[in-house]
Every structure is written in structure tokens, then in C-alpha cells.
Amino acid sequence: MQNLYLLVPLAPLIGAIIAGLFGRFIGPVWSHRTTILLVFVSLLASIAILLDVLEGNIYNGSVYTWLVTGETRFEIGFLIDQLSATMMVVVSLVSLMVHIYTIGYMHDDPGYQRFFSYISLFTFSMMMLVMSNNFLQLFFGWEAVGLVSYLLIGFWYTRPTAIYANMKAFLVNRVGDFGFLLGIAMVLIYFGTLDYAAVFAQAPGIVDEKIELIPEYALVGNNTYLYFVVYWCDG
């Protein structure tokens, strides 16, 4: 089944590459045919995976290890359960509808092939986000979605309003990313892993535990340390 899992995000990625790099040579018609076909393949694979999951077959595993430092492994992996499989179907179905609608919406636009490349790349990014089994891959998917959103908002880059809008979106997202990265760093420091299953397994053991963020520095005027409290909700 792992090859089927890989097909879900890779199919729209291949479509994005073909439309983006070779769209000028294959023309607008084959650009939308190619991207729509590959997103449809992703949808069929997602449906097959959902049906398999509903039979009780849950998957959580690594696909590729890209960095090992000490005992920490940074991996690309998939967690396929009922929630993620459902979201895979939703994302691929909505993306397919968007691709079809784009044929008429972008008709005769000079950036026709580029737009199809962007929305296929957006689909790939969303799939990597919802299928991830670790926080770092989740961050990659989130950043990829943000990047493609930036490209889509500023698609008509000759218009000043589009440039201002995508720059605003870019800057606001960077503020959120700072907190996101801090959270990921804290998870790694206190749990020793970024894998969802390992983190969630340890979480009940530190319910209401105070974790000092800056233990060596007392706050001005008293001896209270800066900390946060871990809360855990079972289910």
C-alpha cells in the first residue's frame, strides 16, 4: 500500500512540474488535461485508501529519512487513519473541481498553464500536510501551502494591488511561522521526537506539568519563572 500512499501527493506534483516547465511546449489544452488527469488519479487513490482504512487498516510509517543527528531522526512519513484518509479524499475532490472550473475561469489568460501548475502544486502541499506523521513534515506542508498561496494571490503580478496583497499575506504568515517553529522546538526538546504517535503517547504523563522556558532567569521583581502548563485532552 505504501506505493499507493506515495501516489496521492506525487501525482499532482508531477502534474505541476509538467504544466509549469513544459506547458509552453504542450500547450494550454494538454496542460489542463494532464493536471486534471493526475489530480483525478490522486482522488481515486485516496478513495481506495479510505476504503482500506475503514476496514481497520491503519498505517504509520517512515518513507524516507533525510537527517539523523544523535538519537533524533528527521523523516518523511505518513500517518493514514480515518481522519487523514477522509481529508485526502476531501482535498483531492475539491482540487479536482477547482481544476475543472479553472478551464473556463482562466480561458485565454496568458498565464493559463502557470495557473494550473500552481493549483496542482497547492494540492501536493495540502496532501503532504494532511498525510504527515510528524511535526516537521506538517511545517513543510504548511509552508508549501503558504508559498503557493503567495504565488496565487500575486498571480497577476503586473497589478500593484496583487503585489501588495501577496506581500501582506507573506508577512503575516511569517509572524505565525515564528510561533509554529518555537512550538516544534519545544516538542523536540521535551519529548525527544517529532513523531505524532510518540509525542501523544508521552503527553498524558506530563499533564499539568510546568515547563520552564527560561529557567536561569527570574522575572523582574520576583522569583517566578516564565513557564507554560501542558494540558492533555484524551480523545
Side-chain angles (χ1 to χ4, degrees):
M1 288 292 289
Q2 191 176 86
N3 291 333
L4 193 61
Y5 301 149
L6 285 170
L7 183 63
V8 174
L10 290 183
L13 177 62
I14 293 170
I17 293 172
I18 292 174
L21 297 181
F22 307 106
R24 182 177 299 180
F25 304 101
I26 64 177
V29 174
W30 277 104
S31 291
H32 76 237
R33 285 179 179 175
T34 302
T35 53
I36 289 174
L37 175 61
L38 288 171
V39 170
F40 183 62
V41 169
S42 180
L43 173 61
L44 292 180
S46 297
I47 293 173
I49 291 169
L50 177 60
L51 294 176
D52 184 62
V53 169
L54 292 177
E55 293 179 357
N57 299 314
I58 308 298
Y59 176 84
N60 181 21
S62 172
V63 175
Y64 176 71
T65 300
W66 58 274
L67 178 65
V68 178
T69 173
E71 297 182 356
T72 305
R73 302 173 66 88
F74 297 97
E75 301 175 331
I76 298 173
F78 297 143
L79 172 60
I80 310 297
D81 55 13
Q82 290 188 7
L83 178 59
S84 58
T86 301
M87 287 305 302
M88 287 158 59
V89 173
V90 171
V91 170
S92 55
L93 177 60
V94 172
S95 176
L96 180 63
M97 296 300 102
V98 172
H99 277 72
I100 295 172
Y101 176 77
T102 298
I103 295 175
Y105 182 75
M106 296 297 293
H107 184 66
D108 291 333
D109 191 284
Y112 188 86
Q113 294 96 312
R114 180 162 55 92
F115 194 87
F116 273 95
S117 176
Y118 286 172
I119 56 177
S120 286
L121 188 60
F122 188 92
T123 308
F124 161 75
S125 304
M126 282 295 298
M127 287 301 186
M128 292 299 290
L129 190 155
V130 302
M131 295 175 68
S132 63
N133 74 339
N134 63 83
F135 288 96
L136 195 60
Q137 185 175 325
L138 175 70
F139 181 76
F140 164 77
W142 175 262
E143 285 299 292
V145 168
L147 171 62
V148 182
S149 297
Y150 168 83
L151 295 173
L152 288 169
I153 293 170
F155 181 79
W156 288 291
Y157 53 82
T158 56
R159 303 177 184 178
T161 52
I163 297 300
Y164 295 147
N166 73 351
M167 186 55 66
K168 179 180 178 180
F170 179 83
L171 294 176
V172 171
N173 281 336
R174 298 294 74 74
V175 176
D177 291 345
F178 179 70
F180 200 164
L181 283 173
L182 283 180
I184 291 174
M186 291 295 292
V187 168
L188 182 59
I189 290 171
Y190 286 97
F191 292 95
T193 179
L194 294 177
D195 183 81
Y196 292 160
V199 171
F200 296 157
Q202 296 180 50
I206 60 170
V207 173
D208 296 329
E209 179 180 337
K210 296 178 180 179
I211 299 177
E212 298 175 351
L213 296 180
I214 313 177
E216 62 269 29
Y217 296 104
L219 296 179
V220 177
N222 57 50
N223 294 322
T224 303
Y225 293 122
L226 180 63
Y227 65 87
F228 71 90
V229 180
V230 176
Y231 294 95
W232 174 253
C233 179
D234 187 13

